[in-house]
Amino acid sequence: MNPLAQAPSLTDFGHDPWWLILGKIVFAFVVALLGTLLGVWFERRVVGRMAVRPGPNQLGPFGLLQTLADGLKMAFKEDILPKSADKVIYFFAPAISMICAVTMLAVIPFGPMVSIFGHQTPLQVTDVSVSVLVVLALSSMAVYGIVLAGWASGSTYPLLGGLRSTAQLISYEVSLGLSIVAVFMLAGTMSTSEIVAAQGQGVTLNLFGAEIPGPGWYALLLFPSFVVFFISIVGETNRPPFDMPEAESELVAGFMTEYSSLKFALIMLSEYVAMVAMSAFTVTLFLGGWYAPWPISLWSGANSGWWPMLWFFAKVILLVFVFVWLRGTLPRLRYDQLMRLGWKVLIPVSLVWVVFLATWLKVQDWERNDRLVVFGIIGGLALIAALFWPGRKPEQKPTLAEQVENRPQGSFPLPPLDLQVPPSPRTRRMVAEREPANVPAGQDSEEV
């Protein structure tokens, strides 16, 4: 059987009975819930191993029940409501982030067409022609929960955390959208199921007149887009090293400082649901979705039946491990470094890559000599720009004497620059007034 025949299209949706649709919705919710519970346990175990610690290992086998115990503990803690908080928004803000993160999974394809009680149906809740834009809209709306949580708390630190999250979203959402443009250009669609199907077909590379079959994963074909996209989703989900909205060393706990009990649990779980959902979104766009990786793909039945769901979740777990790896490896960035990376690195790289990819796709139908001329001109212009691009001259630091001379009036007393404390004038005066000791030579050796 041709594995591509199992790939669903937009015409395969909208024909399921109500009980099957309800079952898919429950399945997506269970995936989000289990992904969160296991994600917390997985992060603690991995970070513990990286820090040469055991991690949770007491409750249940391998400590698997530790997260469940933490959830029960939070449920029975006292729910404290700040006196100056806006009660309605304070109550609903955590639910906004949680709902948006869970809803992302509705358009993620978990597998191909399968038979469920005699009904041929795709392993996906639904799909539309602009499913990718739906995910982007939900990820953008999730920040409203953070901003409103910070504002409704009626405190300074949560408000600063919410404002940081807003600025972070604006800077990284632009690079996120630009990186996905390359996927649209190559796949020719915004449907998640059709993007996965396009990666399953592979590509044919024309190398000096010889046609060579190439990989279909966009992580390899669009590697710059994949790198920019993954960095952007780390910043989008406020995960370390981009967790500035909840920086403990600066904002106590950021936008969630005034939350407790189940509301705090919802905020914490929404972060892990967003991490799992964004990992699944990355697998869909760049890692072939539910298609089996090589060499498993050599097996004829690897991409049919229920096996593709196994490959899909294996890829998701691998990306979640990368999220945890970043947390256990990199220190938190300063806020100016975070903004500089988004605006001065990711966005320019995305723009240049999109222009280059558009030019490449445009000249594919041209003659070989014309293509060489076009790319020769582009390469020459890039070389000239690199040679004559004005560089920033290093600023000359003032000398120590100049710094001392330019100190403002009324500054603090300056300590000695040679690290030698001059003797006190009072001490010199006491030495001068002391009477000289007239001791004859050799008197020390005489017996008294």
Side-chain angles (χ1 to χ4, degrees):
M1 181 181 295
N2 184 7
L4 295 180
Q6 301 293 320
S9 61
L10 290 176
T11 58
D12 295 320
F13 294 91
H15 309 295
D16 297 332
W18 66 269
W19 57 267
L20 190 54
I21 298 175
L22 182 61
K24 290 182 180 181
I25 295 174
V26 172
F27 175 76
F29 181 77
V30 170
V31 167
L33 186 60
L34 290 180
T36 301
L37 295 177
L38 295 178
V40 176
W41 169 84
F42 181 75
E43 181 169 18
R44 290 176 175 178
R45 293 287 294 186
V46 173
V47 174
R49 181 59 63 90
M50 290 180 177
V52 199
R53 294 185 291 106
N57 60 356
Q58 297 298 316
L59 296 180
F62 305 103
L64 281 169
L65 299 181
Q66 181 65 53
T67 307
L68 183 61
D70 291 340
L72 294 176
K73 177 184 68 175
M74 289 182 182
F76 289 102
K77 277 191 172 183
E78 181 182 3
D79 191 3
I80 301 175
L81 179 65
K83 185 176 181 180
S84 59
D86 189 308
K87 296 180 177 57
V88 177
I89 301 179
Y90 180 85
F91 180 80
F92 283 104
I96 295 176
S97 299
M98 188 71 178
I99 292 173
C100 291
V102 173
T103 310
M104 294 182 198
L105 296 174
V107 293
I108 300 297
F110 298 104
M113 298 288 295
V114 296
S115 178
I116 301 179
F117 298 110
H119 292 274
Q120 290 290 329
T121 180
L123 284 176
Q124 185 176 352
V125 176
T126 186
D127 193 12
V128 292
S129 58
V130 289
S131 293
V132 176
L133 299 184
V134 172
V135 176
L136 291 180
L138 290 172
S139 66
S140 301
M141 290 180 61
V143 76
Y144 280 95
I146 298 176
V147 175
L148 292 177
W151 175 81
S153 298
S155 181
T156 304
Y157 285 149
L159 179 60
L160 290 176
L163 293 177
R164 279 186 174 187
S165 183
T166 305
Q168 185 170 328
L169 170 79
I170 294 173
S171 59
Y172 283 86
E173 189 78 14
V174 177
S175 59
L176 182 69
L178 288 174
S179 62
I180 298 178
V181 169
V183 176
F184 296 160
M185 295 168 61
L186 212 58
T189 180
M190 297 184 185
S191 167
T192 51
S193 60
E194 293 182 352
I195 288 175
V196 173
Q199 295 180 73
Q201 297 176 5
V203 295
T204 301
L205 302 177
N206 190 350
L207 189 62
F208 300 106
E211 293 186 354
I212 302 174
W217 289 11
Y218 291 156
L220 301 175
L221 299 176
L222 306 173
F223 185 73
S225 295
F226 173 66
V227 174
V228 172
F229 179 84
F230 191 79
I231 296 176
S232 300
I233 64 172
V234 175
E236 187 89 1
T237 54
N238 297 327
R239 291 284 304 175
F242 303 126
D243 56 338
M244 297 305 299
E246 51 189 77
E248 298 90 348
S249 59
E250 306 163 25
L251 304 177
V252 184
F255 63 94
M256 63 177 76
T257 302
E258 304 294 343
Y259 279 89
S260 59
S261 189
L262 283 178
K263 298 184 184 66
F264 178 83
L266 277 179
I267 291 178
M268 186 186 71
L269 294 181
S270 65
E271 176 182 326
Y272 285 91
V273 174
M275 180 175 65
V276 173
M278 280 300 181
S279 298
F281 191 47
T282 307
V283 171
T284 301
L285 293 182
F286 292 97
L287 298 179
W290 44 264
Y291 280 100
W294 188 89
I296 302 177
S297 58
L298 299 178
W299 173 38
S300 59
N303 294 323
S304 60
W306 294 86
W307 286 106
M309 186 182 293
L310 177 62
W311 323 135
F312 177 82
F313 284 112
K315 297 174 186 177
V316 172
I317 293 173
L318 179 61
L319 286 182
V320 171
F321 171 76
V322 176
F323 272 96
V324 178
W325 190 3
L326 293 177
R327 176 170 187 168
T329 306
L330 300 178
R332 179 182 292 127
L333 296 180
R334 290 200 319 263
Y335 194 69
D336 60 324
Q337 294 173 335
L338 183 142
M339 292 289 107
R340 187 183 302 113
L341 176 65
W343 288 102
K344 293 188 176 182
V345 178
L346 298 183
I347 294 179
V349 168
S350 298
L351 287 172
V352 172
W353 171 245
V354 168
V355 172
F356 173 79
L357 182 63
T359 306
W360 175 271
L361 295 176
K362 184 66 176 177
V363 302
Q364 284 301 302
D365 298 331
W366 293 6
E367 295 292 336
R368 181 173 180 273
N369 293 335
D370 296 338
R371 282 184 288 176
L372 291 177
V373 170
V374 170
F375 285 112
I377 294 174
I378 295 176
L381 293 176
L383 180 61
I384 294 174
L387 291 176
F388 295 98
W389 191 269
R392 179 182 297 179
K393 295 182 179 180
E395 298 180 359
Q396 295 182 354
K397 294 184 179 180
T399 61
L400 190 59
E402 293 175 349
Q403 295 180 23
V404 173
E405 186 179 352
N406 295 332
R407 295 174 70 237
Q409 189 70 22
S411 300
F412 287 102
L414 188 68
L417 301 181
D418 55 358
L419 300 181
Q420 294 182 2
V421 180
S424 172
R426 182 172 177 271
T427 304
R428 289 199 300 268
R429 188 166 55 253
M430 291 177 60
V431 171
E433 294 174 356
R434 185 182 303 167
E435 295 181 359
N438 298 322
V439 179
Q443 186 176 355
D444 293 342
S445 60
E446 297 179 357
E447 295 183 358
V448 179

